[in-house]
Amino acid sequence: MRDDGANSGPELLLTLRRGAGAPALGIQVEDGLREAIRAGRLRSGDRLPPSRTLAHDLAVARRTVVGAYEQLVAEGWLEARTGSGTFVRRALPGLAVPASAAVVPAAPEAPAGPGRLRYHFFPGHPDLSAFPRAEWGRAVRAALRDLPDSAFGYGDPRGHRELRVALAGHLARTRGVVCRPRQIVICQGAVQALALLVRSHAERGAPRVVVEDPYLPEHRDVLAHAGADVVPVPVDGLGIRDESLVAARPDIALVTPAHQCPTGVVLAAGRRAAICRWAQESTALVVEDDYDAEYRYDRAPVAAVQSLAPDQVAYLGSTSKTLAPGIRLAWLVVPEDRLERVVAAKRYADAGSPVLEQAALARLITSGAYDRHVRAARRRQRERRDALVAAVGEHLPDARIEGAAAGLHAVVRLARPVGARELVAAAREREVGVHPLSEYRADPSPETTGVVLGYGALAVPAVREGVRRLAAALSEVG
Amino acid sequence: MRDDGANSGPELLLTLRRGAGAPALGIQVEDGLREAIRAGRLRSGDRLPPSRTLAHDLAVARRTVVGAYEQLVAEGWLEARTGSGTFVRRALPGLAVPASAAVVPAAPEAPAGPGRLRYHFFPGHPDLSAFPRAEWGRAVRAALRDLPDSAFGYGDPRGHRELRVALAGHLARTRGVVCRPRQIVICQGAVQALALLVRSHAERGAPRVVVEDPYLPEHRDVLAHAGADVVPVPVDGLGIRDESLVAARPDIALVTPAHQCPTGVVLAAGRRAAICRWAQESTALVVEDDYDAEYRYDRAPVAAVQSLAPDQVAYLGSTSKTLAPGIRLAWLVVPEDRLERVVAAKRYADAGSPVLEQAALARLITSGAYDRHVRAARRRQRERRDALVAAVGEHLPDARIEGAAAGLHAVVRLARPVGARELVAAAREREVGVHPLSEYRADPSPETTGVVLGYGALAVPAVREGVRRLAAALSEVG
């Protein structure tokens, strides 16, 4: 399949930089194409190479090229013609006329990653169609009606007080988190929380930050960009290895005890205790990323590690898995002795988060609507989880499913390693998006022993059909 | 007046750290008081010193102490008794019981700075009571109705495309800004925009950033915290001295050409051209902070400097002066050759801003409601500006008013220098809040030659009465 478009478009001279400091590949592809058009190397009416061909030539994921094409179509540089491909637009927007920027039609949003494949087992999303639009709208209206004028001024950089009070109660009740509202810093998503933690430490030198291996590559990039020296420590069947963690002598240890990201392992009680003990004896900070704790299906949730050592553990949660990532609301519970520095980092990062989202979420929590929404989402996701487990049992009888007791994703351990790129390609052929476990390793290998399957955004029939197609893909590459 | 409370409260041992890296004084006061209560040094029922006394003892602004008291009242540590002062609360919240944090009653928001004095000429705010709550609510509802599900996922770190398209047209039309939507990065207020610009440069070493002297101290702190080496360059009657700017050899020059902050001087045409020429010949970036450009009263606005040199000038605007700071929406137009790095900085800072605010603002702009709101605000602010000029002419005939052609503040140049602290204190006695020009200097002197008067949040009668009282205060200290 890789050759099908090799002769069907112009040769494109795009040079991509890789490694630390290089911009995202998608942006480089976009910029390169735009520059090629601007410089006349690509002319109106020229046909672009099929995305698969260009992706192959550039050694990038096909979705990277598809995304770049979509962006340029939205900006008016390219046009997609059904059935015949992507072309440089015939009537190009004026290249130097400012007003023309405004008349580029507002294209529909470029579909986000998960939308491009019919069965995309994307682990980062809840079901975006379940975002409670009506309740959120009511909460915003109530906030607009009730907030005093002063709430629209520059506020406390920690965030809107009503939300911090509501969260302190909610987190105590649901996760055993021990805190006062003053210790809560509202952040723009977990990404900002991680960046603030690193930066608040940076005046004492670049902090060594332990992450679990495997981990989310995006988090490693955020930590490194904020100035951390990132040290991966292996995860086994009981969670992160506490002895290796201690031996790494980190300033900060970022862990996901409730449902390790991405393996789904629950951190064993003995290791929780050992890590807390170590933190109490050192000056290190443990950061507990409780990213999907709301989704636990089979037994009572274990309380947050923060409850064992509130002076040593910062607790991080968000609405990205319960409501939607686009709301960009996260909360960081900070031990008292770190609080000033983290608040200063937030003040100098953006002077505080927008008030209306915060006031809306506070209302949803205090009215009980947030709990009701989470319960309904948990019921829905449990059905999907059950469908996933059943479909894996049916179509992949040799595989083992792990980490399915909680969260919005599970890991399918394969009977034998397969080539990761080959698997992704074979799955894509069948409109299935999968993420090999090897993508999450500090030292990625070309073969993978498992697949991370996010089911949060797929309805039950799609989960079943997706697993069936995945099994077919595996049989091809296995 | 300074002695009136010296014997009326306990001695408090609070040690404040000052200088680079120290937390805000208000936070230090809060923490010190809380610690004193926790450690039993202050007991239930103890009377706190009057804020004036404690402020004097600690050599901080009285509003710093008032703010700390209010925060602790809100948290339940202190209580205010009308007519008799502030006391440690009799029924203290449990100090170690997590759930108690939630039962601290949600106190009304601590009043923001400008609210505490009846005539506070605060230069940082528009009229918060004029925030268009109904229109904003309608725009949010429309966004909730129309946005595709994918908009609630992780989006483009530059921000919601509809808003970037709307802004490109709006900025071209109203400010002559030359840009494409792709060059616009939506930020959490100007603070984040400045931090991103510095950080996007930091991988090539700490950037030298020229700021205008006088300047906003908050901006200097943000720049320095992001890693900049901040170099103040003097402003005279024609704006920042271009020769000094060039001689400082900065990597980044942060300027306010339309209405210098805080003097109100308009940057002279010759200097604009000289700065653009220099930027074209060097590798430096000019950052144009167009913070109050929407308010121009007497003549057609000068186009943004960005329009002269779009490849050398980054343009910064926000809704903080047109709508409200609490919305936290700003936009940064970035020259193409810096774009990748700034977008990466935004991605690693918070992965993008919340979608609903952005979609709401996009709707307000495209429907024309934003322009209507700005026009109405400009009419209202012009009346206040006129009242300020008239009142200064009447009550301070020896003073000269400057920078009143635009913006939400002007500078009153005094007939002779006065002690800055004495002036602030004498004005406060009369319920007037003023900000001496000396506070904005890189090298603050104890005497000030001018006063910055923000009238954006004061109605016409309050402007008049405030200036009358300010004149009385001046006659006392002058």
Side-chain angles (χ1 to χ4, degrees), chain B residues 63-113:
Chain B
R63 67 175 178 277
T64 303
V65 174
V66 170
Y69 281 11
E70 285 172 346
Q71 176 65 23
L72 296 178
V73 168
E75 291 182 11
W77 298 86
L78 304 181
E79 55 189 356
R81 295 186 205 149
T82 311
S84 57
T86 306
F87 297 81
V88 181
R89 200 173 164 193
R90 291 207 186 272
L92 275 178
L95 292 184
V97 186
S100 74
V103 300
V104 174
E109 287 289 290

Side-chain angles (χ1 to χ4, degrees), chain B residues 16-210:
Chain B
L16 302 186
R17 284 181 292 139
R18 292 171 199 261
L25 294 172
I27 287 183
Q28 293 191 53
V29 174
E30 264 179 62
D31 284 344
L33 290 173
R34 220 180 269 103
E35 183 47 39
I37 297 171
R38 214 187 262 120
R41 297 205 306 276
L42 276 170
R43 285 169 308 179
S44 279
D46 281 354
R47 187 179 193 272
L48 275 286
S51 56
R52 187 187 313 281
T53 308
L54 186 56
H56 176 65
D57 290 346
L58 298 176
V60 300
R62 187 175 159 213
R63 67 175 178 277
T64 303
V65 174
V66 170
Y69 281 11
E70 285 172 346
Q71 176 65 23
L72 296 178
V73 168
E75 291 182 11
W77 298 86
L78 304 181
E79 55 189 356
R81 295 186 205 149
T82 311
S84 57
T86 306
F87 297 81
V88 181
R89 200 173 164 193
R90 291 207 186 272
L92 275 178
L95 292 184
V97 186
S100 74
V103 300
V104 174
E109 287 289 290
R116 289 186 195 133
L117 287 162
R118 203 159 154 199
Y119 308 98
H120 192 157
F121 287 98
F122 182 68
H125 266 184
D127 191 342
L128 299 178
S129 71
F131 178 77
R133 297 189 187 215
E135 287 86 344
W136 191 264
R138 274 195 292 276
V140 170
R141 273 203 300 285
L144 280 166
R145 186 190 61 220
D146 298 338
L147 284 174
D149 289 339
S150 62
F152 292 92
Y154 294 100
D156 188 326
R158 291 175 293 189
H160 188 54
R161 187 174 152 76
E162 283 176 31
L163 176 57
R164 291 184 287 116
V165 170
L167 276 171
H170 175 78
L171 296 175
R173 200 174 67 239
T174 61
R175 303 294 295 133
V177 168
V178 180
C179 73
R180 300 179 167 282
R182 73 183 300 276
Q183 289 173 260
I184 298 180
V185 180
I186 304 298
C187 297
Q188 297 292 118
V191 162
Q192 184 179 55
L194 296 179
L196 295 183
L197 284 168
V198 172
R199 293 199 191 286
S200 69
H201 197 288
E203 64 193 42
R204 287 165 296 168
R208 278 171 72 78
V209 179
V210 153

Side-chain angles (χ1 to χ4, degrees), chain A residues 14 64 160 258 269 326 348:
Chain A
L14 297 180
T64 303
H160 187 54
Y348 297 128

Side-chain angles (χ1 to χ4, degrees), chain B residues 230-466:
Chain B
V230 180
V231 185
V233 164
V235 166
D236 62 23
L238 301 177
I240 188 168
R241 290 194 200 144
D242 54 312
E243 289 176 7
S244 308
L245 186 161
V246 171
R249 303 177 64 84
D251 299 299
I252 297 173
L254 174 59
V255 295
T256 51
H259 189 238
Q260 201 272 328
C261 180
T263 65
V265 171
V266 179
L267 185 62
R271 293 195 180 176
R272 285 173 188 244
I275 290 171
C276 288
R277 238 179 356 253
W278 158 75
Q280 278 156 347
E281 287 158 9
S282 72
T283 60
L285 179 71
V286 176
V287 180
E288 175 175 28
D289 182 3
D290 209 30
Y291 65 105
D292 65 2
E294 294 82 358
Y295 298 98
R296 176 150 290 278
Y297 307 118
D298 302 320
R299 52 189 165 94
V302 182
V305 170
Q306 194 267 1
S307 66
L308 304 177
D311 293 335
Q312 281 77 37
V313 180
Y315 175 90
L316 171 58
S318 86
T319 58
S320 293
K321 300 286 188 288
T322 54
L323 293 170
I327 296 298
R328 311 298 309 119
L329 274 178
W331 40 87
L332 187 58
V333 179
V334 186
E336 283 282 351
D337 67 343
R338 310 257 174 171
L339 187 57
E340 284 172 6
R341 287 197 301 273
V342 174
V343 174
K346 173 70 176 170
R347 174 182 294 118
Y348 296 128
D350 64 12
S353 291
V355 67
L356 278 170
E357 260 95 0
Q358 297 184 67
L361 180 60
R363 272 159 182 73
L364 289 186
I365 292 173
T366 50
S367 73
Y370 185 71
D371 279 354
R372 282 195 300 278
H373 174 77
V374 168
R375 271 196 299 275
R378 191 187 299 129
R379 271 197 304 276
R380 200 171 48 239
Q381 297 295 358
R382 182 203 300 262
E383 291 170 9
R384 294 171 182 186
R385 191 278 311 256
D386 291 347
L388 180 79
V389 172
V392 169
E394 178 179 353
H395 300 295
L396 292 165
D398 295 340
R400 199 170 76 245
I401 197 158
E402 288 181 358
L408 300 177
H409 72 268
V411 170
V412 173
R413 298 276 180 180
L414 304 173
R416 58 193 169 285
V418 301
R421 287 167 65 104
E422 292 78 5
L423 172 60
V424 169
R428 276 187 182 270
E429 287 298 311
R430 291 164 176 83
E431 298 179 275
V432 175
V434 292
H435 296 267
L437 192 53
S438 56
E439 284 181 4
Y440 298 84
R441 296 233 178 256
D443 186 14
S445 74
E447 297 211 309
T448 191
T449 57
V451 184
V452 180
L453 296 184
Y455 49 86
L458 293 176
V460 165
V463 168
R464 289 191 190 123
E465 178 62 14

